[in-house]
Amino acid sequence: MSDLETLLALALVGTARGTLPTPGHGALDHAAAQVTRPEAEGTLLARAVLHTLAHAAGRAPDPASDPPPAPAPAETLPEVPERAARHLPLVLGTPLLREWLALCARTGWRVPPARLPELLDLARHDGTLRAALSPVLGERGAWLSQFNPEWRFTPPTHGEDAWAEATEAGREALWRGVRERDPQAARDLLTTHLPTERAGSRKRLLGALLDTLTPDDQTLEPLLDSLTTDRSDDVRTLARTALHRLSGSAQNARNAARIHALVTPRKTGLIGRLTGQASHTLTPPTAPDEHATRDGLPDKPGATELLTHLLEHTHPDSLLAALNLTPEALSDLAKHHDVIAALASNARATGHSLLATALLRQAPGDPGLLATAGTAPLHRAILAALPARQPDTLLPLLDALPAPWPQEIGTQVVTALRDTIPDAHYAGAWGYRWSQILDLTAQRTHPHTPPPAPLSPNATEYAHRVMNELRATLELRRQLSHDFGPGAG
């Protein structure tokens, strides 16, 4: 019996019924003899700990039950150079991380291998960060993700069973990756797998489809139409939304026939002919509609309720053709029946610039319509609103402006921030809207936007701190643009 086994046996019966064994003559036994405590129990436990540690330290590892994994494939992208990589620790955990990743992807580089675990952890619960990270993970990042279930949102790159082995998030990432490389292959992937996916996965994949929908996806109409009777409310809604945005869908054709029967033009009098305005009456349907449930119509709607639904959920091209109206006349019809909001929502959802332009006559300050009508109307609206220094007006307009903002707009916004903050002692005194505009400016203005001019020495400590932080952020973004190479900004 070994010394450790003797000690364990004595521990079972107690030191009151036995004596401590005399250590042997080996090196470990000699070390154990030096371990003493005032009580016999303490000496026994201390010597047992020593023997246990020695046993564990000298124990050979068990043979692996599974073969070791294959090494990571050779990298196909160059690693980001140190001049750009040095900024990564500064932007980790901040909104600027997305900009760093986007610049890295644009230049065709991959992230430093040592940063992969930290980046994968940050992206676990952030879909936008996952999309930005995937192109720059490199082969090692994709390989590493297979060893942690929470990292399996990265697109699998090897093996025929990639789809079956992926999580719901992984399947979405895989599909998005295929979508970028080969849109038709991505459509085939949906046709094959979507009908048998779980509801959560169907929602993810339909959401990814809506994010990237193009007219070429008209071939998916049979699949989408079958999902309008899905058992999941969310899946049904997403499928109808996709069919709504595909102008040639049968759902749009049915809605066009409904609105054609609902809206009846009246004879135009002299004033109507002179002004170019026509009037209409609404005639609610009386016959049953066999496709009402499939197309998401309200239950037993009145005439105005049905008009509201159709104006919001029928593609503008189908509406204009069914009613034989210009965008301006359709806008007037919606205004007459007080349903401008429904038609405006439709124009924004479908990106219909002509209808958005016509609706701006009724809703001239709507940020979504301005953005849909084109960048020029939105730029003009922002430049016109800036002199008034009204943050409630500016914030939604700036939020609708894609990044990076033109330098002219960015410069004037920075000036407005500087002009309105000097007397503020804290964020609430400045105004929550101005704080939001500050955050947007720091992240979206062009990286070469000039920093704010120095404040007066009489400005508050809070004002100086905020402007210094904005100045530092703009300088960091300018340096990022420079270090990632020409044209990176």
Side-chain angles (χ1 to χ4, degrees), residues 123-150:
R124 283 184 302 165
H125 305 297
D126 187 336
T128 59
L129 189 57
R130 290 198 294 267
L133 179 59
S134 292
V136 296
L137 282 173
E139 297 296 332
R140 187 178 302 185
W143 172 85
L144 186 63
S145 67
Q146 68 182 303
F147 301 109
N148 186 338
E150 294 185 328

Side-chain angles (χ1 to χ4, degrees), residues 70-77 79 109-121 123 130 133-158:
E75 295 288 0
T76 58
L77 299 175
E79 184 179 340
W109 295 332
R110 57 182 169 84
V111 300
R115 293 289 180 180
L116 285 171
E118 189 172 8
L119 288 166
L120 288 165
D121 267 339
R130 290 198 294 267
L133 179 59
S134 292
V136 296
L137 282 173
E139 297 296 332
R140 187 178 302 185
W143 172 85
L144 186 63
S145 67
Q146 68 182 303
F147 301 109
N148 186 338
E150 294 185 328
W151 294 347
R152 289 179 186 169
F153 52 79
T154 55
T157 54
H158 301 284

Side-chain angles (χ1 to χ4, degrees), residues 279-298:
S279 60
H280 303 81
T281 59
L282 301 182
T283 306
T286 55
D289 189 331
E290 63 175 316
H291 296 292
T293 301
R294 162 171 295 211
D295 293 342
L297 267 64

Side-chain angles (χ1 to χ4, degrees), residues 6 185 242 251 333:
T6 303
Q251 175 181 288
L333 169 66

